[in-house]
Amino acid sequence: MSDTIFVAAEGGSEIEIGHHRTVEFLGMTWNADTIWTTAIAGIIVLALGFSVARNASATNPGKLQLAWEALVSWVTVQVESNLGKVNPFVIPLAIALFAFILIANWLEVIPSKEYLKPPTADVNLTYALAFLVIVGVHVYSVRERGVRGYVHHYFEPYPALFPIILIEEIVKPFTLALRLFGNIFSGAIMLAIIGLLPALVLWLPNVIWKLFAMFIAVIQAFIFALLTILYFGMAGDTHGEGDHEDRSQSDPADEPKTTNQPQLAEAH
Amino acid sequence: MARTSLAQENFLLPNLTFIAELFAFVVILWVLARYVLPHINRAMTERQEAIRTQFAELEEAKANAQEAENEYRSQLADARHEAAAIRERAREEGATIVAEMREQARAESDRIIRQAHAQVEAERQQVVQELRTEVGTMATTLAGRIVGESLDDDERRQRTVERFMSSLESQDGASRSEARR
């Protein structure tokens, strides 16, 4: 593979793809642009959060507070319906993921040449997010099912499916990371290609694409947060095995699920 | 390119930026979870609580209003009923009063008529009596003047008048029976 991949556009201009401004630190290469756009996105998210948290009013909420509350209540509802209970780690995780990914994606819309590339167009960020989610999912799975139940779930419903389930578990973080990366990255490439157009006609496709990219940004942040919740939900699912009696006692919300199991088994 | 790493060859492979990104996101997550979300949650729960209270109050007010309206309606119905009863009673009383008054009036008129009849009869008797005396006097006076005979003798005059009157009466009775015939 060559050093960098180029897209040759008409007129001889070249767009470098996957090229990052790097710095050498501790003898390693760091993608400086991704790091500082991450910092910018993070600061924006935290500033939005703090500006609401400081003035959070129960009687007279502002628009920003209502937006935060909408996100919080949506995530809470999703977590409750998928995990069967409110989880003190998953809810903030999903909220932070949505807010941060959304703001990071929207950096793309700010006209800044290549200085403010969305950090989500770098696999380093998306892999990091997916890594955190998957580690959390597996830890949650072990805590919910116990070690035996966790190991056992790789051999369910049939032991022969073990390789497929193993691959599924391995692939999950990559699909999670690369879906986000691919969408935002391709959006950035589109913007770069549109940037090669003559200035007279540039604005129209630019505006259209940026509006579309804003929409894609919301969708991707939504998908990432929702899949995170779904993965946690699946990780907590016991398949009528092992410690499920303990769970049904400790968790009344799961009772309908567990009582359904024998009927499903009979139906099969 | 001074330094060529694997990551620079393939943009799908991460480099150490991964660690920085992971750290950055964990910090963001921690700060959000620790300092931002509790405030938002608290405001949200408080408002939901307030809304729930308001709804409860609204329900209560609605129930009260409903109750008041029911009471009003029942009172209105009672009042209507009562009014109808009063009207009915008044009509009955009115009818009774009218009947009584009519009865009284009839009795009064009967009494007046009877009285009038009695009075007329008495007056007639009186007139007849007066005529009896005065017609005699006038007649004898007139007759005396005509015949030039002194009729001053009371006894004779009385006899003459009696005769005249009885002849008059018999004449009257004869003409009456003749007319009847």
Side-chain angles (χ1 to χ4, degrees):
Chain A
M1 198 177 276
S2 62
D3 284 352
T4 39
I5 299 168
F6 295 101
V7 171
E10 278 182 64
S13 321
E14 283 172 344
I15 304 168
E16 290 185 337
I17 292 178
H19 175 75
H20 291 284
R21 291 163 183 277
T22 56
V23 290
E24 302 291 321
F25 183 63
L26 299 174
M28 306 298 287
T29 309
W30 307 75
N31 295 349
D33 49 358
T34 306
I35 289 173
W36 61 269
T37 49
T38 300
I40 289 171
I43 287 167
I44 292 173
V45 169
L46 292 183
L48 290 176
F50 275 113
S51 74
V52 163
R54 212 183 40 215
N55 305 317
S57 154
T59 50
N60 187 18
K63 283 177 184 157
L64 191 58
Q65 187 187 340
L66 286 178
W68 273 107
E69 284 181 9
L71 174 61
V72 170
S73 56
W74 172 73
V75 167
T76 309
V77 166
Q78 287 298 327
V79 168
E80 272 177 354
S81 63
N82 283 293
L83 274 68
K85 61 194 161 188
V86 172
N87 186 292
F89 174 67
V90 181
I91 289 178
L93 177 66
I95 292 169
L97 280 171
F98 182 88
F100 174 66
I101 292 172
L102 182 68
I103 299 298
N105 290 350
W106 275 352
L107 287 184
E108 182 180 359
V109 181
I110 300 171
S112 61
K113 300 229 167 188
E114 76 275 27
Y115 292 108
L116 260 184
K117 281 196 285 192
T120 38
D122 184 345
V123 282
N124 284 300
L125 173 59
T126 59
Y127 281 145
L129 297 179
F131 174 77
L132 188 68
V133 168
I134 290 304
V135 168
V137 164
H138 284 269
V139 169
Y140 176 76
S141 184
V142 171
R143 282 169 70 170
E144 284 292 302
R145 296 163 158 157
V147 177
R148 240 187 88 224
Y150 173 74
V151 173
H152 208 88
H153 106 274
Y154 283 97
F155 301 95
E156 280 177 2
Y158 307 109
L161 291 179
F162 168 69
I164 290 174
I165 293 167
L166 184 66
I167 289 170
E168 187 195 349
E169 293 293 343
I170 293 170
V171 158
K172 263 182 193 173
F174 289 99
T175 58
L176 197 58
L178 292 177
R179 178 185 304 106
L180 174 60
F181 163 74
N183 273 281
I184 307 306
F185 184 65
S186 58
I189 293 174
M190 273 298 290
L191 276 183
I193 292 172
I194 289 169
L196 293 177
L197 291 169
L200 262 179
V201 294
L202 165 70
W203 59 273
L204 182 62
N206 202 31
V207 164
I208 291 172
W209 184 258
K210 280 193 172 179
L211 287 175
F212 187 58
M214 283 186 80
F215 174 67
I216 294 284
V218 178
I219 295 288
Q220 288 306 317
F222 174 81
I223 289 175
F224 204 105
L226 184 62
L227 279 176
T228 298
I229 296 167
L230 291 180
Y231 287 162
F232 272 96
M234 283 154 70
D237 248 3
T238 51
H239 296 277
E241 278 291 324
D243 55 351
H244 106 257
E245 283 166 67
D246 302 345
R247 277 196 73 220
S248 66
Q249 275 172 2
S250 64
D251 185 7
D254 267 359
E255 267 182 13
K257 233 183 267 178
T258 50
T259 49
N260 278 343
Q261 291 296 333
Q263 292 169 355
L264 285 173
E266 278 167 25
H268 281 293
Chain B
M1 215 165 286
R3 191 185 173 91
T4 306
S5 70
L6 196 59
Q8 278 169 308
E9 285 171 15
N10 185 346
F11 58 80
L12 287 180
L13 292 177
N15 59 16
L16 268 191
T17 316
F18 176 85
I19 306 291
E21 298 297 319
L22 188 60
F23 174 76
F25 182 72
V26 168
V27 168
I28 292 166
L29 172 60
W30 182 75
V31 173
L32 274 184
R34 179 90 171 73
Y35 296 105
V36 174
L37 295 181
H39 293 281
I40 292 171
N41 267 325
R42 203 180 52 233
M44 217 161 81
T45 6
E46 270 175 24
R47 195 165 64 257
Q48 279 166 356
E49 193 57 43
I51 288 169
R52 201 163 22 244
T53 326
Q54 276 174 1
F55 262 100
E57 279 169 10
L58 192 72
E59 283 296 320
E60 200 184 321
K62 216 153 90 180
N64 284 345
Q66 187 68 41
E67 199 180 325
E69 195 191 330
N70 287 345
E71 199 175 330
Y72 161 76
R73 279 189 195 288
S74 77
Q75 279 180 1
L76 198 67
D78 280 358
R80 280 217 184 98
H81 193 70
E82 204 170 329
I86 288 170
R87 258 203 310 276
E88 188 58 32
R89 207 157 57 226
R91 195 179 297 125
E92 281 169 10
E93 276 175 13
T96 318
I97 288 169
V98 166
E100 266 175 24
M101 294 305 284
R102 193 171 289 150
E103 192 55 39
Q104 267 180 24
R106 192 179 294 124
E108 182 77 4
S109 71
D110 285 354
R111 191 181 61 78
I112 289 168
I113 288 168
R114 254 196 329 272
Q115 207 171 2
H117 276 303
Q119 198 172 350
V120 165
E121 184 59 27
E123 276 173 9
R124 197 180 72 88
Q125 286 296 332
Q126 198 181 347
V127 166
V128 166
Q129 197 61 41
E130 278 173 11
L131 275 177
R132 233 177 245 272
T133 52
E134 292 202 5
V135 166
T137 317
M138 277 162 65
T140 47
T141 312
L142 277 174
R145 278 191 197 153
I146 293 167
V147 293
E149 184 187 346
S150 172
L151 293 172
D152 289 341
D153 185 0
D154 268 355
E155 198 182 336
R156 210 168 46 192
R157 192 182 60 197
Q158 191 66 35
R159 261 196 324 271
T160 310
V161 168
E162 287 294 333
R163 207 170 48 238
F164 172 69
M165 289 297 281
S166 59
S167 76
L168 207 67
E169 272 173 9
S170 66
Q171 204 172 18
D172 187 40
S175 66
R176 219 181 270 168
S177 62
E178 225 169 82
R180 209 178 289 146
R181 209 172 304 143

